[in-house]
Amino acid sequence: MYLDQIVGGYIRFDVSDVVSSHFYDQTKERDLTYSELESLENHFTDSGTGSLYLKRIWLGEELQNVIILIGYDDAIADITLNFPAEQFGDLEQNEPREALGKLAMYVARLCSRCGIDEAVIGYEPAVDDDMKILEIKSSWKKG
């Protein structure tokens, strides 16, 4: 699992930018904050979820007002980032397209380095085909 390497490493942020966080501890039967966690990987040894709301992060580009949702089911971790689409403005203009391109290249590099099979960039819900802007897959299977 690469959670600590991804969140706080590839997805960079300053701890002072954490507005709120919630990580349910099943042993203590209470919510913990991000600052109370020894590490994400230690926290997610069992199934669970957690969230971070941040003023800003850096993911190839600075993004503001970001919610990071983490889910783990004993085998696979899922990380979802939500942020206002307005940060990319009108994608028909060059500047927002360049910023989105930087984000996509950074996410592709993250996927390659951390063994992530798939990443989707799009409007909520990004898993719907008509809402996807970009889908990155590390391999394809002949079907």
Side-chain angles (χ1 to χ4, degrees), residues 28-39:
K28 296 178 183 177
E29 296 182 344
R30 70 175 186 90
D31 257 352
L32 301 176
T33 63
Y34 180 73
S35 62
E36 292 177 284
L37 299 179
E38 182 181 314
S39 83

Side-chain angles (χ1 to χ4, degrees), residues 5-77:
Q5 187 178 354
I6 295 170
V7 178
Y10 287 103
I11 301 171
R12 293 186 226 159
F13 58 89
D14 190 285
V15 178
S16 66
D17 285 331
V18 176
V19 176
S20 66
S21 58
H22 304 280
F23 294 89
Y24 188 73
D25 186 308
Q26 295 177 11
T27 306
K28 296 178 183 177
E29 296 182 344
R30 70 175 186 90
D31 257 352
L32 301 176
T33 63
Y34 180 73
S35 62
E36 292 177 284
L37 299 179
E38 182 181 314
S39 83
L40 290 171
E41 290 175 19
N42 288 345
H43 177 74
F44 287 106
T45 55
D46 296 319
S47 296
T49 60
S51 65
L52 286 157
Y53 173 51
L54 298 125
K55 292 177 196 173
R56 73 182 129 270
I57 67 167
W58 191 87
L59 187 67
E61 279 290 304
E62 182 177 295
L63 301 172
Q64 298 177 353
N65 297 317
V66 179
I67 297 172
I68 300 175
L69 304 169
I70 303 169
Y72 183 69
D73 71 357
D74 291 327
I76 297 173

Side-chain angles (χ1 to χ4, degrees), residues 1 10 21 25 46 48 53 57 60 65 71 76 78-80 93 98 106 111-112 118 121 134 138 141:
M1 193 171 17
Y10 287 103
S21 58
D25 186 308
D46 296 319
Y53 173 51
I57 67 167
N65 297 317
I76 297 173
D78 182 61
I79 302 171
T80 302
Q93 304 297 319
E98 288 175 21
Y106 192 83
C111 290
S112 172
E118 182 177 0
I121 298 172
L134 177 68
S138 64
K141 296 178 182 175

Side-chain angles (χ1 to χ4, degrees), residues 104 117-122 126-129 132-138:
D117 294 330
E118 182 177 0
V120 176
I121 298 172
V127 294
D128 289 355
D129 286 337
K132 292 178 185 176
I133 297 172
L134 177 68
E135 186 172 14
I136 301 166
K137 291 189 176 191
S138 64

